[in-house]
Amino acid sequence: MSARNGEGYLCDVVAHPFDVVRAPVLLAEHRAPTSRLALVWLRGQAERLAGALDPIPGKGPLPQSALRVVETPSATPNPGRIFRVWLSDEMTQETQRRNLTCGHRVHVVAGDEQTVYALTARPIPSP
């Protein structure tokens, strides 16, 4: 479904540093014609961030010897793991897609001690 009376959906990924001196950083932006394609794009970005923030040994560009598996998750925030949990939650994603189609903004947010990462999709209003 496309946006009600709109021109699609604007999607973005923004890093919000906790350092008050630095401004938020736009990491990626996309215009999707349908709510379904907006969620597809968000899933791709969540996967990209998860791989960058919490690489899995043996996957990705880093050599396996450079990484180690943490057997028990620490109390340290892990945005990569949070994005992976969201990626596996199809029910939440379908609810977000329906909300987006109804004209609401949707987002997935995860952060650590230094930065909050926000993946957002919102309808583009008609002129």
Side-chain angles (χ1 to χ4, degrees), residues 12 99-100 103-107 120-123:
D12 58 41
N99 286 338
L100 192 55
H104 302 286
R105 171 189 302 248
V106 300
H107 58 271
T120 306
R122 61 193 165 281

Side-chain angles (χ1 to χ4, degrees), residues 17 28 38 59 73 92 96:
K59 294 184 178 183
T92 294
Q96 288 176 316

